[in-house]
Amino acid sequence: MQSQNSPSSLTPATQAELDTPLGRRRICRIGQASALGDIDALPYSIKVLLEACLRNCDGRVVTEEHVRRLAGYDATHVGDEEIAFMPGRVVLQDFTGVPCVVDLAAMRDAMVQLGGDPGKVNPLVPCDLVIDHSVQVDAFNSGVALTINSRLEFDRNRERYEFLKWGQAALTNFSVVPPATGIVHQVNIEHLAKVVWERDGMLFPDSLVGTDSHTTMVNGLGVVGWGVGGIEAEAVMLGQPIYMRVPEVVGFRLHGRLREGVTATDLVLRVTEMLRRFGVVDKFVEFHGSGLDDMPVANRATISNMAPEYGATIGFFPVDARTLDYLRLTGRDEALVRTVEQYSKAQGLWRDDQRTISYSAELELDLASVEPALAGPRRPQDRVDLSQMKGAWRRELAGFYRKQGALPAAGGSAMATLERGAPVLLDDEEFQLDHGHVVIAAITSCTNTSNPSVMVGAGLLARNAAARGLTRKPWVKTSLAPGSKVVTDYLQRAQLLAPLEKLGFYLVGYGCTTCIGNSGPLPEAISRAINEHDLVVTSVLSGNRNFEGRIHADVKANFLASPPLVVAYAIAGTIDIDLATEPIGVDAQGRPVMLKEIWPSEREIAETVARSLGSEQFRREYADVFKGSDEWQAIRTASGQRYAWDEKSTYIQNPPYFTQMPRTPGSIAPIRGARVLAKLGDSVTTDHISPAGEIRKDSPAGAWLMERGVSPADFNSYGSRRGNDRVMTRGTFANIRIRNQIAPGTEGGVTTDFHDGAVKPIFDAAMSAKERGTPLVVLAGKDYGMGSSRDWAAKGTFLLGVRAVIAESFERIHRSNLVGMGVLPLTYQPGEGAASLGLDGRESFDLDVPSDLRPRQEIRVTARREDGSSRSFMAIARVDTPVEVEYYRNGGILHTVLRRMAGAS
């Protein structure tokens, strides 16, 4: 295990002292590497990586060659060279954080079995866990919704919270931000991040990894950080570097100003569309240009937040005067703020658009060209101008959703089916529910609730709408889930919380709710009508993800939008409307109301933000950020170095990763006679693979819980049970929208068991193969594993017995996580795939994996058909670095680290 500040031959030459407002401090001078390359031309984000390599260079983990690769960075020819990057800290959210702590607890037990000291299993860098994913929108449209949802959150998650309190007491360098504080990424930029960090008298750029893909939000503050799987995060927590290929950096020049009525959300949807189309997977994106001069950090953070949606590793904004403005606004100490400026300028990290930076490619956007828009109904990059929404929706309904009878009525604006929609009686009110009706309208998610301009804009729109007598349609489930308590503070101060409540947007909780599937149940009458009449209803949310099956099981079409547009669609009640030309509703006098009549001006929004938001609010709300509510403080838990596992627990279990693990690894070996567990198409997300959302009682996980006396009302969500491998393995590949091609004509988590020919739940088929010692493989198309950084997408795959995944391409995080669990990712040769190779998924597969496997080595795969014929092809083993080969040889990252730690005991 290496110290963060190990000496090297480079260290004396690069260290210097600096008199700062914090006192005399040491720095690692980036400019002293100028003999190795043109440092001044380096992208800012590459400079941050370079500083980390210089500071941590010890000749073994971080080598001088890593330093040379970064100092001599050639943006036009990056190549496949790797570096070892040691982030300064780790952030976790509770869905992904609980299994991280579970793994650490399991590693302590395994360390004892290997004859080592369990106390060595400890975070070696600062680690903050923010509990933000556990609150669910059960109650809504009520002044007591927050109270009810908070009580249910504690009732459902008490076991998890007791476990996290054990971790906080037993582990060093580990802090927990309690429930009802805010969303992890908003808490990160508002409080945890420092831009310039200090350790042992050394100043260095703040950098981190997080167990949520939207960790990139902090890039808007000038901090390098990105999302990784929980597996990688645990390795960093245990002192291991992130081994990564030196990234290409795409420059993105912004100029001009947004037009009246265009929001930061509209901007990020345009940026997402552009970058997805260009292709930036595995790349850094760095924003620059005159458009940043007046762009606040809140808008930058909105763009950075959605880096996973446009596919980049980070979306970085360099430090400048706007960064300092934000640090002061959020109540950071003035000495730190001035040190950030001094350090950034001294290190060449301060934004200077006069400097010529070498980028691998450049894009450009005139902010004045951005239009109001939404994105959907299935992917965040599928942007639709607001003026085109009605036509786009009708094409989707008739095309993808195959509702041919729902085409426009002749000469009318309503759907042909509208008059015969499903009748619903709800709360003594009768109405017709039909295709396109908005049944969920949620102001939620870190992407937008961190941005005062769009939140105040939503409040002002609600105020103007309420003044005209408008309200939500009765079938719309409305919710307001801010990213921090500061949001409700400034909405109250601006007298905008009451108007939002008039339209049904009552506070339901502080956390990541609808955007991750914690939207809670729809009213029974609504759900029944949807399912009995096969209605394609919609949601509109101010989130960042809208993949199939993510938001709610009953809602097939989901659209991302700014908070003001969420309010607007709650009033309209349907997507089947042109808000530019058709009235959003009728006022108390029976007059039609157009959206433009009630949309607030940019001037009013800015003036309202200025008078209602100040640094004292941030100081007050974050003064006791780790203290928590009375309910949190009342939680009691056991202490001790090792966790006392409870076999009866349905939330926390000791995972079987380290069972009978030998002290030394075996050899890499071929995979013989593997059968296909699932054959999948393009754009399969981690939401499809990993257990997420509600647990259905007719699922293997639901059956397991009921066998143990848990009633369906107490199932909670898959996310809340990530600390229990028994539940999570049964929920892997169980998404209701997944389409497995070896179970044709089906939808959901089923497959064909080739032993008996029966179509059954994937878990049952996997256990059947396990009983017979049959290894499993998954076949997939392009962009396999896109979406959230869900470690259980890899853990569940491994525990089902899948030994390899063969895909046309992988999303970055999921590929890395598969290697981290000892599952071999392979890609077909360019231009090839299952279809071109004639693979139908019924074959058995031999994979000639050599014992001396090399990074990205081509290996022969032989597919043997049921008629005795066979087809061989070459696939690329996507273990991309020598270190990943070592991880694969050991059976995963944690096995590698554990063996090293035991050897050093």
Side-chain angles (χ1 to χ4, degrees):
M1 311 302 290
Q2 301 301 319
S3 165
Q4 287 283 304
N5 294 307
S6 300
S8 78
S9 59
L10 284 171
T11 301
T14 58
Q15 284 197 10
E17 291 193 337
L18 197 66
D19 288 319
T20 77
L22 294 172
R24 195 164 183 80
R25 297 291 188 270
R26 289 177 295 119
I27 67 170
C28 193
R29 296 176 298 177
I30 301 173
Q32 288 300 304
S34 58
L36 304 175
D38 186 359
I39 303 301
D40 198 49
L42 293 181
Y44 298 95
S45 50
I46 295 296
K47 283 188 173 184
V48 173
L49 299 183
L50 173 59
E51 190 280 341
C53 281
L54 280 167
R55 178 168 38 86
N56 292 293
C57 186
D58 62 359
R60 293 191 298 138
V61 175
V62 182
T63 69
E64 293 190 15
E65 181 59 31
H66 295 152
V67 173
R68 290 189 178 89
R69 287 172 184 172
L70 289 172
Y73 179 81
D74 180 357
T76 61
H77 185 67
V78 175
D80 289 329
E81 296 176 325
E82 67 160 2
I83 60 165
F85 173 51
M86 301 191 77
R89 59 191 179 96
V90 175
V91 294
L92 313 167
Q93 43 97 329
D94 57 312
F95 270 17
T96 50
V98 165
C100 283
V101 182
V102 166
D103 289 351
L104 292 178
M107 287 177 74
R108 284 193 165 189
D109 287 356
M111 181 66 95
V112 173
Q113 295 169 16
L114 294 175
D117 177 7
K120 285 185 175 290
V121 181
N122 245 327
L124 299 181
V125 298
C127 178
D128 294 290
L129 184 148
V130 181
I131 300 176
D132 70 336
H133 275 49
S134 297
V135 63
Q136 182 171 297
V137 187
D138 289 276
F140 69 102
N141 194 31
S142 164
V144 295
L146 176 63
T147 301
I148 293 172
N149 294 333
S150 296
R151 187 186 70 242
L152 288 170
E153 177 185 357
F154 272 88
D155 288 347
R156 290 166 175 154
N157 296 285
R158 183 164 295 276
E159 281 188 58
R160 299 170 67 243
Y161 293 171
E162 289 173 351
F163 175 69
L164 288 175
K165 275 204 148 183
W166 167 83
Q168 189 172 30
L171 302 171
T172 59
N173 276 330
F174 181 73
S175 300
V176 176
V177 176
T181 302
I183 298 174
V184 56
H185 313 304
Q186 193 159 339
V187 173
N188 194 16
I189 65 166
E190 291 181 355
H191 181 71
L192 299 175
K194 296 181 180 180
V195 185
V196 172
W197 205 266
E198 178 184 354
R199 187 174 303 142
D200 300 329
M202 172 77 78
L203 297 178
F204 54 93
D206 189 358
S207 65
L208 67 147
V209 292
T211 57
D212 189 289
S213 49
H214 296 102
T215 301
T216 53
M217 184 171 179
V218 79
N219 304 159
L221 193 60
V223 176
V224 168
W226 61 85
V228 297
I231 304 155
E232 285 182 294
E234 290 166 42
V236 173
M237 289 163 65
L238 294 167
Q240 301 301 296
I242 294 286
Y243 289 93
M244 56 185 289
R245 286 184 295 150
V246 178
E248 293 183 27
V249 182
V250 175
F252 198 120
R253 188 168 80 87
L254 298 169
H255 59 92
R257 295 179 63 90
L258 294 176
R259 294 182 292 109
E260 183 74 23
V262 177
T263 69
T265 313
D266 302 320
L267 171 59
V268 74
L269 293 180
R270 177 72 177 277
V271 169
T272 299
E273 178 188 46
M274 289 177 64
L275 287 170
R276 261 296 170 187
R277 184 178 297 149
F278 180 78
V280 291
V281 173
D282 290 339
K283 300 175 184 178
F284 285 11
V285 174
E286 198 165 279
F287 295 90
H288 63 102
S290 60
L292 302 188
D293 291 345
D294 297 316
M295 182 183 288
V297 164
N299 287 16
R300 300 176 185 194
T302 303
I303 296 171
S304 296
N305 180 288
M306 288 188 71
E309 279 64 56
Y310 45 83
T313 303
I314 65 171
F316 188 73
F317 290 81
V319 177
D320 63 6
R322 300 287 79 77
T323 312
L324 306 185
D325 292 343
Y326 186 81
L327 291 174
R328 291 189 173 102
L329 171 66
T330 50
R332 266 61 167 223
D333 184 76
E334 181 62 25
L336 171 65
V337 177
R338 288 188 287 123
T339 299
V340 167
E341 180 177 11
Q342 180 186 11
Y343 179 87
S344 299
K345 289 179 176 178
Q347 293 280 52
L349 295 171
W350 186 265
R351 181 171 74 89
D352 178 5
D353 284 340
Q354 301 306 309
R355 187 162 67 88
T356 300
I357 299 175
S358 176
Y359 290 119
S360 302
E362 289 213 51
L363 282 79
E364 180 178 346
L365 175 64
D366 181 354
L367 298 178
S369 69
V370 178
E371 297 280 344
L374 292 84
R378 292 174 299 280
R379 299 188 306 176
Q381 65 262 39
D382 296 333
R383 190 185 67 86
V384 183
D385 284 342
L386 180 63
S387 60
Q388 303 298 313
M389 269 297 296
K390 184 175 181 177
W393 164 246
R394 291 186 168 187
R395 288 190 293 274
E396 284 284 345
L397 190 64
F400 183 84
Y401 297 108
R402 299 180 181 178
K403 299 296 180 183
Q404 299 295 337
L407 291 172
S413 62
M415 299 255 185
T417 57
L418 191 57
E419 307 239 345
R420 56 182 177 80
V424 177
L425 176 63
L426 179 65
D427 297 332
D428 298 323
E429 186 169 0
E430 292 187 39
F431 52 82
Q432 301 288 322
L433 190 70
D434 208 338
H435 302 303
H437 275 193
V438 177
V439 297
I440 293 175
I443 300 175
T444 180
S445 149
C446 50
T447 311
N448 290 293
T449 63
S450 62
N451 193 320
S453 66
V454 293
M455 296 300 289
V456 165
L460 291 171
L461 181 69
R463 181 202 65 187
N464 297 343
R468 295 289 297 271
L470 302 179
T471 188
R472 65 184 257 281
K473 291 295 187 289
W475 53 81
V476 185
K477 181 175 184 176
T478 44
S479 60
L480 171 63
S484 79
K485 291 184 176 179
V486 175
V487 177
T488 42
D489 195 354
Y490 65 68
L491 287 176
Q492 284 176 323
R493 186 176 294 192
Q495 298 182 331
L496 296 177
L497 206 52
L500 283 164
E501 291 173 351
K502 274 191 175 181
L503 269 67
F505 289 94
Y506 282 87
L507 181 64
V508 297
Y510 295 94
C512 196
T513 54
T514 304
C515 194
I516 57 160
N518 283 1
S519 50
L522 294 176
E524 177 58 33
I526 298 287
S527 182
R528 184 170 58 251
I530 293 169
N531 289 289
E532 288 181 355
H533 295 265
D534 193 24
L535 299 179
V536 183
V537 294
T538 68
S539 74
V540 181
L541 65 151
S542 63
N544 43 47
R545 293 275 166 83
N546 57 342
F547 301 130
E548 291 181 278
R550 179 184 180 94
I551 306 304
H552 194 284
D554 290 340
V555 184
K556 293 182 179 178
N558 304 281
F559 291 90
L560 307 180
S562 66
L565 282 179
V566 172
V567 174
Y569 276 102
I571 297 168
T574 182
I575 286 293
D576 187 49
I577 184 173
D578 183 348
L579 289 176
T581 62
E582 297 178 58
I584 193 172
V586 178
D587 68 12
Q589 287 72 43
R591 297 171 301 187
V593 180
M594 303 299 292
L595 178 60
K596 63 183 179 182
E597 297 175 45
I598 59 174
W599 193 273
S601 69
E602 292 303 312
R603 179 177 179 178
E604 184 177 17
I605 291 172
E607 290 175 349
T608 304
V609 171
R611 68 170 180 267
S612 59
L613 181 61
S615 60
E616 74 281 358
Q617 291 156 289
F618 291 92
R619 290 193 184 98
R620 181 176 63 252
E621 295 296 350
Y622 285 107
D624 292 311
V625 68
F626 299 108
K627 183 178 179 181
S629 63
D630 292 341
E631 292 91 342
W632 175 257
Q633 294 177 52
I635 292 176
R636 297 289 179 262
T637 187
S639 59
Q641 272 197 334
R642 295 171 63 187
Y643 184 68
W645 306 98
D646 179 3
E647 279 298 319
K648 294 181 180 179
S649 173
T650 58
Y651 279 95
I652 306 295
Q653 286 294 334
N654 190 348
Y657 312 134
F658 311 111
T659 303
Q660 298 179 333
M661 186 185 95
R663 198 176 181 90
T664 57
S667 299
I668 294 176
I671 300 169
R672 302 294 186 203
R675 300 305 301 264
V676 176
L677 181 65
K679 182 173 182 287
L680 308 168
D682 295 340
S683 300
V684 171
T685 72
T686 50
D687 281 15
H688 288 110
I689 307 165
S690 176
E694 70 170 311
I695 301 173
R696 290 180 170 249
K697 62 182 180 181
D698 59 351
S699 68
W704 187 89
L705 288 169
M706 286 189 292
E707 288 170 4
R708 281 147 188 82
V710 180
S711 68
D714 296 323
F715 277 2
N716 210 335
S717 64
Y718 278 113
S720 68
R721 294 187 183 273
R722 285 188 182 184
N724 186 343
D725 62 280
R726 284 72 158 170
V727 171
M728 298 301 285
T729 307
R730 286 169 170 81
T732 302
F733 291 110
N735 185 284
I736 59 171
R737 300 285 177 242
I738 198 168
R739 298 174 183 88
N740 187 355
Q741 296 170 19
I742 59 171
T746 67
E747 187 177 55
V750 296
T751 192
T752 297
D753 184 343
F754 294 118
H755 172 69
D756 57 16
V759 173
K760 61 182 65 171
I762 279 181
F763 174 79
D764 294 344
M767 294 305 101
S768 172
K770 187 175 183 178
E771 288 175 6
R772 290 163 180 80
T774 303
L776 298 170
V777 296
V778 170
L779 306 181
K782 299 179 180 67
D783 297 328
Y784 183 75
M786 64 187 294
S788 298
S789 56
R790 300 190 188 278
D791 58 333
W792 265 106
K795 288 179 175 177
T797 297
F798 165 75
L799 290 175
L800 285 173
V802 174
R803 299 282 303 281
V805 178
I806 310 174
E808 291 181 50
S809 64
F810 289 91
E811 198 81 348
R812 175 185 62 87
I813 297 175
H814 185 59
R815 183 206 62 79
S816 175
N817 281 348
L818 287 172
V819 176
M821 286 306 301
V823 178
L824 182 64
L826 301 109
T827 51
Y828 299 101
Q829 296 289 342
E832 292 186 349
S836 66
L837 293 169
L839 306 177
D840 64 11
R842 303 187 69 85
E843 303 88 355
S844 64
F845 287 81
D846 291 341
L847 287 68
D848 295 335
V849 188
S851 60
D852 58 349
L853 180 67
R854 301 185 309 276
R856 292 187 167 232
Q857 182 177 350
E858 292 187 359
I859 66 171
R860 181 171 298 280
V861 178
T862 301
R864 304 185 188 283
R865 303 185 181 97
E866 293 175 317
D867 63 5
S869 63
S870 64
R871 174 69 187 267
S872 291
F873 58 94
M874 301 304 292
I876 303 165
R878 287 299 310 276
V879 280
D880 288 358
T881 67
V883 172
E884 285 192 336
V885 172
E886 190 64 19
Y887 289 158
Y888 180 66
R889 185 185 312 278
N890 273 273
I893 291 179
L894 299 183
H895 299 76
T896 306
V897 172
L898 189 58
R899 286 188 174 107
R900 288 177 185 169
M901 293 170 68
S905 296

